[in-house]
Coordinates of all heavy atoms in Angstrom, one line a residue:
M72 N 69.4 158.7 -34.1 CA 70.0 157.6 -34.7 C 71.2 157.2 -33.9 O 72.0 158.0 -33.4 CB 70.5 158.1 -36.1 CG 71.2 157.0 -36.9 SD 70.1 155.5 -37.2 CE 69.0 156.3 -38.5
L73 N 71.4 155.9 -33.7 CA 72.5 155.4 -32.9 C 73.7 155.3 -33.7 O 73.7 155.1 -34.9 CB 72.1 153.9 -32.5 CG 71.0 153.7 -31.4 CD1 70.6 152.3 -31.3 CD2 71.4 154.3 -30.1
T74 N 74.9 155.5 -33.0 CA 76.1 155.3 -33.7 C 76.6 153.9 -33.5 O 76.1 153.1 -32.6 CB 77.2 156.3 -33.1 OG1 77.4 155.9 -31.7 CG2 76.8 157.7 -33.2
C75 N 77.6 153.5 -34.2 CA 78.2 152.1 -34.1 C 78.7 151.9 -32.7 O 78.7 150.9 -32.1 CB 79.3 151.9 -35.1 SG 78.6 151.8 -36.8
R76 N 79.3 153.0 -32.1 CA 79.8 152.9 -30.8 C 78.7 152.6 -29.7 O 78.9 151.8 -28.9 CB 80.6 154.2 -30.5 CG 81.4 154.1 -29.3 CD 81.9 155.5 -28.8 NE 82.5 155.4 -27.5 CZ 83.8 155.0 -27.3 NH1 84.5 154.7 -28.3 NH2 84.3 154.8 -26.1
E77 N 77.6 153.4 -29.9 CA 76.5 153.1 -29.0 C 75.9 151.7 -29.1 O 75.6 151.1 -28.2 CB 75.4 154.2 -29.2 CG 75.7 155.5 -28.8 CD 74.7 156.6 -29.3 OE1 74.3 156.5 -30.4 OE2 74.5 157.5 -28.5
M78 N 76.0 151.2 -30.4 CA 75.5 149.9 -30.6 C 76.4 148.9 -29.8 O 75.9 147.9 -29.3 CB 75.6 149.5 -32.1 CG 74.6 150.2 -33.0 SD 72.9 149.6 -32.7 CE 73.0 147.9 -33.4
S79 N 77.7 149.0 -29.9 CA 78.6 148.1 -29.2 C 78.4 148.2 -27.6 O 78.6 147.3 -26.9 CB 80.0 148.3 -29.6 OG 80.5 149.5 -29.1
E80 N 78.1 149.4 -27.2 CA 77.8 149.6 -25.8 C 76.6 148.9 -25.4 O 76.4 148.4 -24.2 CB 77.8 151.1 -25.4 CG 79.2 151.7 -25.3 CD 79.2 153.2 -25.3 OE1 78.1 153.9 -25.3 OE2 80.3 153.8 -25.3
L81 N 75.6 149.0 -26.2 CA 74.3 148.3 -25.9 C 74.4 146.8 -26.0 O 73.5 146.0 -25.4 CB 73.2 148.8 -26.9 CG 72.7 150.2 -26.6 CD1 71.8 150.7 -27.8 CD2 71.9 150.2 -25.3
G82 N 75.4 146.3 -26.8 CA 75.6 144.9 -27.1 C 74.8 143.9 -26.3 O 73.8 143.3 -26.8
S83 N 75.1 143.6 -25.1 CA 74.5 142.5 -24.3 C 73.0 142.8 -24.0 O 72.2 141.9 -23.9 CB 75.3 142.2 -23.1 OG 75.4 143.3 -22.2
D84 N 72.7 144.1 -23.8 CA 71.3 144.5 -23.6 C 70.5 144.1 -24.8 O 69.3 143.8 -24.7 CB 71.2 146.0 -23.3 CG 71.8 146.4 -22.0 OD1 71.8 145.5 -21.1 OD2 72.1 147.5 -21.7
I85 N 71.1 144.3 -26.0 CA 70.4 144.0 -27.2 C 70.0 142.5 -27.3 O 68.9 142.2 -27.5 CB 71.2 144.4 -28.5 CG1 71.3 145.9 -28.5 CG2 70.5 143.9 -29.8 CD1 72.3 146.4 -29.6
I86 N 71.0 141.7 -27.1 CA 70.7 140.3 -27.2 C 69.9 139.7 -26.1 O 69.2 138.7 -26.2 CB 72.0 139.4 -27.4 CG1 73.0 139.6 -26.2 CG2 72.7 139.7 -28.7 CD1 74.1 138.6 -26.2
E87 N 69.9 140.4 -24.9 CA 69.1 140.0 -23.8 C 67.7 140.7 -23.8 O 67.0 140.5 -22.9 CB 69.8 140.1 -22.5 CG 70.9 139.1 -22.3 CD 71.9 139.5 -21.3 OE1 71.5 140.3 -20.4 OE2 73.0 139.0 -21.3
S88 N 67.5 141.5 -24.8 CA 66.3 142.3 -24.9 C 66.0 143.1 -23.8 O 64.8 143.3 -23.3 CB 65.1 141.3 -25.2 OG 65.4 140.5 -26.2
H89 N 67.0 143.8 -23.2 CA 66.8 144.7 -22.1 C 66.6 146.1 -22.6 O 67.3 147.0 -22.1 CB 68.0 144.6 -21.1 CG 68.0 143.3 -20.3 ND1 69.2 142.9 -19.7 CD2 67.1 142.4 -20.1 CE1 69.0 141.7 -19.2 NE2 67.7 141.4 -19.4
L90 N 65.8 146.3 -23.5 CA 65.8 147.6 -24.2 C 64.3 148.1 -24.2 O 63.4 147.4 -24.2 CB 66.2 147.5 -25.6 CG 67.7 147.1 -25.9 CD1 67.9 146.9 -27.4 CD2 68.6 148.0 -25.3
S91 N 64.2 149.4 -24.1 CA 62.9 150.0 -24.2 C 62.5 149.9 -25.7 O 63.4 149.7 -26.6 CB 63.0 151.5 -23.9 OG 63.8 152.2 -24.8
L92 N 61.2 150.0 -26.0 CA 60.7 149.9 -27.3 C 61.4 150.9 -28.2 O 61.8 150.6 -29.4 CB 59.2 150.2 -27.3 CG 58.6 150.0 -28.7 CD1 58.7 148.6 -29.2 CD2 57.1 150.3 -28.6
R93 N 61.6 152.1 -27.7 CA 62.2 153.2 -28.5 C 63.7 152.8 -28.9 O 64.1 153.0 -30.0 CB 62.2 154.4 -27.6 CG 62.4 155.7 -28.4 CD 62.5 156.9 -27.4 NE 63.3 157.9 -27.9 CZ 63.0 159.2 -27.7 NH1 62.0 159.5 -26.9 NH2 63.7 160.1 -28.3
T94 N 64.4 152.3 -27.9 CA 65.8 152.0 -28.2 C 65.9 150.8 -29.1 O 66.7 150.8 -30.0 CB 66.5 151.6 -26.9 OG1 66.3 152.6 -25.9 CG2 68.0 151.5 -27.1
R95 N 64.9 149.9 -29.0 CA 64.9 148.7 -29.8 C 64.7 149.1 -31.3 O 65.3 148.5 -32.2 CB 63.8 147.7 -29.3 CG 64.0 146.3 -29.8 CD 63.3 145.3 -28.9 NE 62.0 145.8 -28.6 CZ 61.3 145.3 -27.5 NH1 61.8 144.3 -26.8 NH2 60.1 145.7 -27.2
L96 N 63.8 150.1 -31.5 CA 63.5 150.5 -32.8 C 64.8 151.2 -33.4 O 65.1 151.0 -34.6 CB 62.4 151.5 -32.8 CG 61.0 150.9 -32.7 CD1 59.9 152.0 -32.6 CD2 60.7 150.0 -33.9
A97 N 65.5 152.0 -32.6 CA 66.7 152.6 -33.1 C 67.7 151.6 -33.4 O 68.4 151.7 -34.4 CB 67.2 153.6 -32.0
V98 N 67.8 150.5 -32.6 CA 68.8 149.4 -32.9 C 68.4 148.8 -34.2 O 69.3 148.6 -35.1 CB 68.8 148.4 -31.7 CG1 69.5 147.1 -32.2 CG2 69.4 149.0 -30.5
L99 N 67.2 148.4 -34.4 CA 66.7 147.8 -35.6 C 67.0 148.6 -36.9 O 67.5 148.2 -37.9 CB 65.2 147.5 -35.6 CG 64.8 146.3 -34.7 CD1 63.3 146.2 -34.6 CD2 65.4 145.0 -35.2
M100 N 66.8 149.9 -36.7 CA 67.0 150.9 -37.8 C 68.5 150.9 -38.1 O 68.9 150.9 -39.3 CB 66.5 152.3 -37.5 CG 65.1 152.3 -37.6 SD 64.2 153.8 -37.8 CE 65.4 155.1 -38.2
H101 N 69.3 150.9 -37.1 CA 70.8 150.9 -37.4 C 71.2 149.5 -38.0 O 72.0 149.6 -39.0 CB 71.5 151.1 -36.0 CG 73.0 151.2 -36.2 ND1 73.6 152.5 -36.1 CD2 74.0 150.3 -36.5 CE1 74.9 152.3 -36.4 NE2 75.2 151.0 -36.6
L102 N 70.7 148.5 -37.6 CA 71.1 147.1 -38.1 C 70.7 147.0 -39.6 O 71.4 146.3 -40.4 CB 70.4 146.0 -37.3 CG 71.0 145.8 -35.9 CD1 70.3 144.7 -35.2 CD2 72.5 145.5 -36.0
R103 N 69.6 147.7 -39.9 CA 69.2 147.6 -41.4 C 70.2 148.3 -42.3 O 70.3 147.9 -43.5 CB 67.8 148.4 -41.5 CG 66.7 147.5 -41.1 CD 65.4 148.3 -41.4 NE 64.9 147.9 -42.7 CZ 63.6 147.8 -43.0 NH1 62.8 148.1 -42.1 NH2 63.3 147.5 -44.2
M104 N 70.9 149.3 -41.8 CA 71.8 150.0 -42.7 C 73.3 149.8 -42.4 O 74.2 150.4 -43.1 CB 71.4 151.4 -42.8 CG 71.1 152.1 -41.4 SD 71.0 153.8 -41.4 CE 72.7 154.3 -41.0
C105 N 73.5 149.0 -41.4 CA 75.0 148.8 -41.0 C 75.3 147.3 -40.9 O 75.0 146.7 -39.9 CB 75.2 149.6 -39.7 SG 76.9 149.4 -39.2
S106 N 76.0 146.9 -41.9 CA 76.3 145.4 -42.0 C 77.3 145.0 -40.9 O 77.4 143.9 -40.5 CB 76.8 145.0 -43.4 OG 77.9 145.8 -43.7
R107 N 78.1 146.0 -40.6 CA 79.1 145.7 -39.5 C 78.5 145.4 -38.2 O 78.9 144.4 -37.5 CB 80.1 146.9 -39.4 CG 81.5 146.5 -39.2 CD 82.4 147.7 -39.0 NE 82.1 148.4 -37.7 CZ 82.8 149.4 -37.2 NH1 83.8 149.8 -37.8 NH2 82.5 149.9 -36.0
C108 N 77.6 146.2 -37.8 CA 76.9 146.0 -36.5 C 76.0 144.8 -36.5 O 75.8 144.1 -35.6 CB 76.1 147.2 -36.1 SG 77.1 148.6 -35.6
K109 N 75.4 144.5 -37.7 CA 74.6 143.3 -37.9 C 75.4 142.1 -37.6 O 75.0 141.2 -36.9 CB 74.2 143.3 -39.4 CG 72.8 142.7 -39.6 CD 72.3 143.2 -40.9 CE 71.5 142.1 -41.6 NZ 71.0 142.6 -42.9
L110 N 76.7 142.1 -38.2 CA 77.6 141.0 -37.9 C 78.0 140.9 -36.5 O 78.0 139.8 -35.9 CB 78.8 141.1 -38.8 CG 79.7 139.9 -38.9 CD1 79.0 138.8 -39.7 CD2 81.0 140.3 -39.6
Y111 N 78.2 142.0 -35.9 CA 78.7 142.1 -34.5 C 77.6 141.5 -33.6 O 77.9 140.7 -32.7 CB 78.9 143.6 -34.2 CG 79.1 143.9 -32.7 CD1 80.2 143.5 -32.0 CD2 78.0 144.5 -32.0 CE1 80.3 143.7 -30.6 CE2 78.1 144.7 -30.7 CZ 79.3 144.4 -30.0 OH 79.4 144.6 -28.7
I112 N 76.3 141.9 -33.8 CA 75.2 141.5 -33.0 C 75.0 140.0 -33.1 O 74.8 139.2 -32.2 CB 73.9 142.2 -33.3 CG1 74.1 143.7 -32.9 CG2 72.7 141.6 -32.5 CD1 74.3 144.0 -31.4
K113 N 75.2 139.5 -34.4 CA 75.0 138.1 -34.7 C 76.1 137.3 -33.9 O 75.8 136.3 -33.4 CB 75.2 137.9 -36.2 CG 74.8 136.6 -36.7 CD 74.9 136.6 -38.3 CE 74.9 135.1 -38.7 NZ 75.1 135.1 -40.2
Q114 N 77.3 137.8 -33.9 CA 78.4 137.0 -33.3 C 78.2 137.1 -31.8 O 78.5 136.1 -31.1 CB 79.8 137.7 -33.6 CG 80.2 137.3 -35.0 CD 81.5 138.0 -35.4 OE1 81.8 139.0 -34.9 NE2 82.2 137.5 -36.4
L115 N 77.7 138.2 -31.3 CA 77.5 138.4 -29.8 C 76.4 137.4 -29.4 O 76.5 136.7 -28.4 CB 77.0 139.8 -29.6 CG 77.3 140.4 -28.2 CD1 78.8 140.4 -28.0 CD2 76.8 141.8 -28.1
R116 N 75.4 137.2 -30.2 CA 74.3 136.3 -30.0 C 74.8 134.9 -29.9 O 74.4 134.1 -29.1 CB 73.2 136.5 -31.0 CG 71.8 136.1 -30.5 CD 70.8 136.6 -31.5 NE 70.1 137.7 -31.0 CZ 69.5 138.6 -31.9 NH1 69.6 138.5 -33.1 NH2 68.9 139.6 -31.4
L117 N 75.6 134.5 -30.9 CA 76.2 133.2 -31.0 C 77.0 132.9 -29.8 O 76.9 131.9 -29.1 CB 77.0 133.1 -32.2 CG 76.3 132.8 -33.6 CD1 77.3 132.8 -34.7 CD2 75.6 131.5 -33.5
T118 N 77.8 133.9 -29.4 CA 78.7 133.7 -28.2 C 77.9 133.5 -27.0 O 78.1 132.6 -26.1 CB 79.6 134.9 -28.0 OG1 80.2 135.3 -29.3 CG2 80.7 134.7 -27.0
S119 N 76.8 134.3 -26.8 CA 75.9 134.2 -25.7 C 75.3 132.8 -25.6 O 75.2 132.2 -24.6 CB 74.9 135.3 -25.8 OG 73.8 135.0 -24.9
D120 N 74.8 132.3 -26.8 CA 74.2 131.0 -26.8 C 75.2 129.9 -26.4 O 74.9 129.0 -25.6 CB 73.8 130.6 -28.3 CG 72.5 131.3 -28.6 OD1 71.9 131.9 -27.7 OD2 72.1 131.2 -29.8
V121 N 76.4 130.0 -26.9 CA 77.5 129.0 -26.5 C 77.7 129.1 -25.0 O 77.8 128.1 -24.4 CB 78.8 129.3 -27.3 CG1 79.9 128.5 -26.7 CG2 78.6 129.0 -28.7
L122 N 77.8 130.3 -24.5 CA 78.1 130.5 -23.1 C 77.0 129.8 -22.2 O 77.2 129.2 -21.2 CB 78.3 131.9 -22.7 CG 79.5 132.6 -23.1 CD1 79.5 134.1 -22.8 CD2 80.8 132.0 -22.5
Q123 N 75.8 130.0 -22.7 CA 74.6 129.5 -21.9 C 74.6 128.0 -21.9 O 74.0 127.3 -21.0 CB 73.3 130.1 -22.4 CG 73.1 131.4 -21.8 CD 72.0 132.2 -22.5 OE1 71.2 131.5 -23.2 NE2 72.0 133.5 -22.4
R124 N 75.2 127.4 -22.9 CA 75.2 125.9 -23.0 C 76.4 125.3 -22.3 O 76.4 124.1 -22.1 CB 75.3 125.5 -24.5 CG 73.9 125.7 -25.1 CD 73.9 125.1 -26.5 NE 72.8 125.7 -27.2 CZ 72.9 126.3 -28.4 NH1 74.1 126.3 -29.0 NH2 71.9 126.9 -29.0
L125 N 77.4 126.1 -21.9 CA 78.5 125.5 -21.2 C 78.0 125.0 -19.8 O 77.2 125.6 -19.2 CB 79.6 126.6 -21.0 CG 80.3 127.0 -22.2 CD1 81.3 128.2 -21.9 CD2 81.1 125.9 -22.8
P126 N 78.6 123.8 -19.4 CA 78.1 123.2 -18.2 C 78.8 123.8 -16.9 O 79.3 123.1 -16.1 CB 78.6 121.7 -18.4 CG 79.8 121.9 -19.2 CD 79.6 123.1 -20.2
F127 N 78.8 125.1 -16.8 CA 79.4 125.8 -15.7 C 78.4 126.5 -14.9 O 77.4 126.9 -15.4 CB 80.4 126.8 -16.1 CG 81.7 126.2 -16.8 CD1 82.0 126.7 -18.0 CD2 82.4 125.2 -16.2 CE1 83.2 126.2 -18.7 CE2 83.5 124.7 -16.9 CZ 83.9 125.1 -18.1
Q128 N 78.6 126.7 -13.6 CA 77.8 127.4 -12.8 C 78.2 128.9 -12.8 O 79.2 129.3 -13.3 CB 77.9 127.0 -11.3 CG 77.6 125.5 -11.0 CD 76.1 125.3 -11.4 OE1 75.2 126.0 -11.1 NE2 75.9 124.1 -12.1
D129 N 77.3 129.8 -12.4 CA 77.5 131.2 -12.5 C 78.8 131.6 -11.8 O 79.5 132.6 -12.1 CB 76.3 132.0 -11.9 CG 75.2 131.9 -12.8 OD1 75.4 131.6 -14.0 OD2 74.0 132.1 -12.4
E130 N 79.1 130.9 -10.7 CA 80.3 131.3 -9.9 C 81.6 131.1 -10.7 O 82.6 131.8 -10.4 CB 80.4 130.5 -8.6 CG 79.1 130.5 -7.7 CD 78.3 129.2 -8.1 OE1 78.8 128.2 -7.8 OE2 77.2 129.4 -8.6
T131 N 81.7 130.1 -11.6 CA 82.9 129.8 -12.3 C 83.0 130.6 -13.6 O 84.1 131.0 -14.0 CB 83.0 128.4 -12.6 OG1 81.9 127.9 -13.2 CG2 83.3 127.6 -11.3
V132 N 81.9 130.9 -14.2 CA 82.0 131.7 -15.5 C 81.0 132.9 -15.4 O 79.8 132.8 -15.2 CB 81.5 130.8 -16.7 CG1 81.4 131.7 -17.9 CG2 82.5 129.7 -16.9
D133 N 81.7 134.0 -15.5 CA 80.9 135.3 -15.5 C 80.7 135.7 -16.9 O 81.5 136.3 -17.6 CB 81.8 136.3 -14.8 CG 80.9 137.6 -14.6 OD1 79.9 137.8 -15.2 OD2 81.4 138.5 -13.8
S134 N 79.5 135.2 -17.5 CA 79.3 135.5 -18.9 C 79.1 136.9 -19.2 O 79.5 137.4 -20.3 CB 78.0 134.7 -19.3 OG 76.9 135.1 -18.5
Q135 N 78.6 137.7 -18.3 CA 78.5 139.1 -18.5 C 79.9 139.8 -18.7 O 80.1 140.6 -19.5 CB 77.8 139.8 -17.3 CG 76.4 139.6 -17.3 CD 75.7 140.2 -18.5 OE1 76.0 141.2 -19.0 NE2 74.8 139.4 -19.1
A136 N 80.9 139.3 -17.9 CA 82.2 139.9 -17.9 C 82.8 139.5 -19.3 O 83.6 140.3 -19.9 CB 83.1 139.4 -16.8
I137 N 82.6 138.3 -19.8 CA 83.1 137.8 -21.0 C 82.5 138.6 -22.2 O 83.2 139.1 -23.1 CB 82.8 136.3 -21.2 CG1 83.7 135.5 -20.2 CG2 83.2 135.9 -22.6 CD1 83.4 134.0 -20.1
L138 N 81.2 138.8 -22.1 CA 80.5 139.6 -23.1 C 81.1 141.1 -23.1 O 81.3 141.6 -24.2 CB 79.0 139.6 -22.8 CG 78.3 138.4 -23.2 CD1 76.8 138.5 -22.8 CD2 78.3 138.1 -24.7
K139 N 81.3 141.6 -22.0 CA 81.8 143.0 -21.9 C 83.2 143.0 -22.5 O 83.5 144.0 -23.2 CB 82.0 143.4 -20.4 CG 80.6 143.8 -19.8 CD 80.5 145.3 -19.7 CE 79.1 145.8 -19.9 NZ 78.1 145.0 -19.0
K140 N 84.0 142.0 -22.3 CA 85.3 141.9 -22.9 C 85.2 141.9 -24.5 O 86.0 142.5 -25.2 CB 86.0 140.6 -22.5 CG 87.1 140.9 -21.4 CD 88.0 139.8 -21.2 CE 88.8 140.1 -19.9 NZ 88.6 139.2 -18.8
L141 N 84.2 141.1 -24.9 CA 84.1 141.0 -26.4 C 83.6 142.3 -27.0 O 83.9 142.6 -28.1 CB 83.0 139.9 -26.7 CG 83.4 138.5 -26.5 CD1 82.2 137.6 -26.6 CD2 84.4 138.1 -27.5
Q142 N 83.0 143.1 -26.2 CA 82.5 144.4 -26.7 C 83.6 145.5 -26.8 O 83.4 146.5 -27.4 CB 81.4 144.9 -25.8 CG 80.1 144.2 -26.0 CD 79.1 144.6 -24.9 OE1 79.0 145.8 -24.6 NE2 78.4 143.7 -24.3
T143 N 84.7 145.2 -26.2 CA 85.8 146.2 -26.3 C 87.1 145.5 -26.7 O 88.0 145.2 -26.0 CB 86.1 146.7 -24.8 OG1 86.2 145.7 -23.9 CG2 85.0 147.7 -24.4
P144 N 87.1 145.2 -28.0 CA 88.3 144.4 -28.6 C 89.5 145.1 -28.6 O 90.6 144.6 -28.8 CB 87.7 144.1 -30.1 CG 86.7 145.1 -30.3 CD 86.1 145.5 -29.0
D145 N 89.5 146.5 -28.4 CA 90.7 147.2 -28.4 C 91.6 147.0 -27.2 O 92.7 147.4 -27.2 CB 90.4 148.8 -28.6 CG 89.7 149.0 -30.0 OD1 90.0 148.2 -30.9 OD2 89.0 150.0 -30.1
Q146 N 91.0 146.5 -26.1 CA 91.8 146.4 -24.9 C 92.5 145.1 -24.8 O 91.9 144.1 -25.1 CB 90.8 146.6 -23.7 CG 90.5 148.1 -23.6 CD 89.4 148.4 -22.6 OE1 88.9 147.4 -22.0 NE2 89.0 149.6 -22.4
Ligands
LIG135 ZN1 76.9 150.3 -37.0

């Protein structure tokens, strides 16, 4: 079973579907019982969509870096 911390570490991999089937199942199971992570992934997905629609080139906006920042709100 995944912890909430592991979920936040997986963050961008989850929304970009860079997960093995096994991990994806573990993520889905966690999301079913954890409304906090559900909301977190939802927001991450929304943010990712917005970033992809921005009219910037990869050199000016590092969306991965922004997503990483979002994943560590304590810093
Ligand atoms: Zn959770």
Side-chain angles (χ1 to χ4, degrees):
M72 183 61 74
L73 290 170
T74 63
C75 291
R76 192 192 171 84
E77 285 168 327
M78 287 292 290
S79 72
E80 280 164 6
L81 283 170
S83 57
D84 286 340
I85 293 172
I86 58 169
E87 285 161 24
S88 307
H89 291 160
L90 300 172
S91 65
L92 183 61
R93 199 183 153 146
T94 312
R95 199 156 44 199
L96 282 174
V98 165
L99 284 174
M100 286 204 7
H101 187 103
L102 289 179
R103 280 184 90 146
M104 43 170 266
C105 181
S106 55
R107 217 184 68 170
C108 287
K109 212 156 139 182
L110 191 68
Y111 167 75
I112 296 299
K113 194 175 160 184
Q114 284 175 341
L115 209 59
R116 204 170 257 153
L117 279 176
T118 311
S119 165
D120 281 353
V121 170
L122 286 176
Q123 277 166 21
R124 284 191 201 124
L125 288 176
F127 294 128
Q128 299 300 315
D129 287 340
E130 308 94 65
T131 52
V132 172
D133 188 347
S134 59
Q135 283 301 316
I137 293 171
L138 284 174
K139 284 257 149 45
K140 255 190 194 120
L141 287 170
Q142 284 170 44
T143 51
D145 293 335
Q146 284 171 0

